[in-house]
Amino acid sequence: MLPFIPLFAVLQFTFSPIVTIAGLDVRLDTMALAVVILACLIVAARIARRAPVDLDRSVDATDPEYGEPNHLRRDDLLYVTVAAVPGAVIGGRVGYALVHLDYYQANSSALLDISQGSLSLSLAVVGGFLTASIVAALLGAPVGRWLHAIVLSLLLALAGGKLAMALGGSGQGVPWTGDWATAYLGPGPWGSLVPAIPSYPSQVLEALATLGVLLVMACLLAVGLFARRTGAAFLLGIALWAAARAAVASTWRDPMVVDPFGIPLRMEQVICLAIAAVSLVLAAAVTAVDVARRRRRRTASAGGAGEPGGGASGPAPGGGDGGQVPGGGADGEPSWPDSEDRPFI
């Protein structure tokens, strides 16, 4: 009788994380991350081209007064992306300091030393969102539309970035000898301490969880649940991602810091749960504001239609409609809303 052989065993990696290209040593995870970022920008640009600014008009329509296309500008995407960088760096550094609070309380000057330590992804996403939104608003870009357009690209970037970390041995979890445990035995240098010890592949687990969130959001967008494009889809996606990251963080090597209700939590889990809660509240608030705004507009339209000379004018002499089209101006061209009436949620 054959002995029992487990289906999966510890995955051992013996490759080198550094390759030489044209005489330059480049890390595999750095190359993979660059490819992920480029792919996500391309996806975001294609989605932006198909995202209407005015939901009542075709995406291929053009503003007759200003000549602006009725879709998000891809050049604005570059500005918004670059604007996210300083916020991501500041937020990521603050998050890293919170995770290692004891050290930075004793060495406060090290917080500004970018050559020491690293960045935390959770607050980096929050910081990048804030600075990107500010610049988008200054450019006159509809922030809610942009958030709606980039949610899938952002989730793809987060998942791809975590998978790229596996090529450099970064993000290993606590030691573990179960199926799918990973150990890095190659020459290195690897991104985790004692990489040869079999451990939870936390970075891969987070990537898979993020891909699951991406699939859920793609399905919700496909059925038209967020047709108003107010940014609520982005906030929901961030909430789900933060909750998934908090669950995966239970396998991390960081120490426990709090024990609410008998459940020990790491600092990163506390941060992620806070992000998830705030994002859900903001998503509900954005949706409520949009519903109230549409209700006020319907009320105003109904009131205007009943006033003398308002709304319900009869046909023009000769049986025509005075040269107007539904929702259009007297010259037959579409009537575009004033810029101040366009949503900037």
Side-chain angles (χ1 to χ4, degrees):
M1 182 175 180
L2 293 176
F4 173 76
I5 301 177
L7 181 60
F8 302 108
V10 175
L11 302 178
Q12 299 179 348
F13 300 108
T14 59
F15 62 89
S16 173
I18 299 177
V19 296
T20 302
I21 301 177
L24 298 175
D25 292 335
V26 184
R27 292 187 62 88
L28 290 176
D29 48 347
T30 301
M31 294 174 56
L33 182 59
V35 172
V36 168
I37 293 175
L38 177 61
C40 292
L41 286 175
I42 293 174
V43 171
R46 291 182 63 86
I47 294 176
R49 175 59 181 83
R50 301 174 183 177
V53 175
D54 183 356
L55 300 180
D56 297 327
R57 306 293 176 183
S58 167
V59 71
D60 296 319
T62 302
D63 187 334
E65 182 176 356
Y66 299 103
E68 293 288 340
N70 188 35
H71 60 73
L72 298 176
R73 296 170 57 98
R74 282 178 281 192
D75 53 343
D76 283 348
L77 173 62
L78 297 178
Y79 290 115
V80 172
T81 302
V82 172
V85 173
V89 172
I90 296 174
R93 193 61 175 171
V94 171
Y96 187 81
L98 290 175
V99 173
H100 302 87
L101 188 58
D102 292 341
Y103 174 82
Y104 286 103
Q105 282 180 333
N107 304 272
S108 57
S109 60
L111 181 61
L112 301 179
D113 183 5
I114 60 175
S115 64
Q116 185 277 333
S118 184
L119 304 176
S120 172
L121 180 60
S122 300
L123 288 185
V125 171
V126 174
F129 155 72
L130 292 176
T131 53
S133 298
I134 292 172
V135 171
L138 292 175
L139 291 173
V143 177
R145 300 289 191 271
W146 269 118
L147 294 179
H148 184 92
I150 66 174
V151 57
L152 297 183
S153 299
L154 177 60
L155 291 173
L156 180 61
L158 294 172
K162 281 296 176 177
L163 286 178
M165 290 177 63
L167 295 176
S170 301
Q172 285 287 83
V174 296
W176 181 55
T177 57
D179 296 339
W180 298 104
T182 55
Y184 291 84
L185 308 179
W190 303 106
S192 299
L193 295 175
V194 288
I197 297 180
S199 305
Y200 276 99
S202 298
Q203 73 282 70
V204 178
L205 294 177
E206 186 174 341
L208 295 177
T210 305
L211 288 175
V213 174
L214 172 63
L215 179 60
V216 170
M217 292 306 304
C219 292
L220 294 179
L221 293 175
V223 299
L225 186 60
F226 299 97
R228 293 294 303 173
R229 293 178 167 86
T230 60
F234 177 90
L235 294 169
L236 177 60
I238 292 300
L240 295 177
W241 165 76
R245 180 174 168 87
V248 175
S250 63
T251 66
W252 288 14
R253 299 180 179 181
D254 299 335
M256 306 295 180
V257 295
V258 294
D259 188 16
F261 309 107
I263 303 175
L265 296 176
R266 295 171 169 84
M267 178 60 75
E268 185 65 27
Q269 292 178 289
V270 175
I271 294 174
C272 287
L273 292 176
I275 292 174
V278 173
S279 297
L280 289 176
V281 171
L282 289 177
V286 165
T287 302
V289 169
D290 182 65
V291 171
R293 177 179 298 175
R294 283 186 290 162
R295 184 180 293 114
R296 287 196 301 269
R297 288 180 177 176
R298 286 196 299 267
T299 302
S301 298
E307 295 176 358
S313 58
D321 59 0
Q324 296 186 1
V325 295
D331 55 359
E333 293 291 339
S335 59
W336 292 76
D338 295 334
S339 57
E340 62 267 20
D341 293 331
R342 298 181 183 180
F344 281 86
I345 297 177

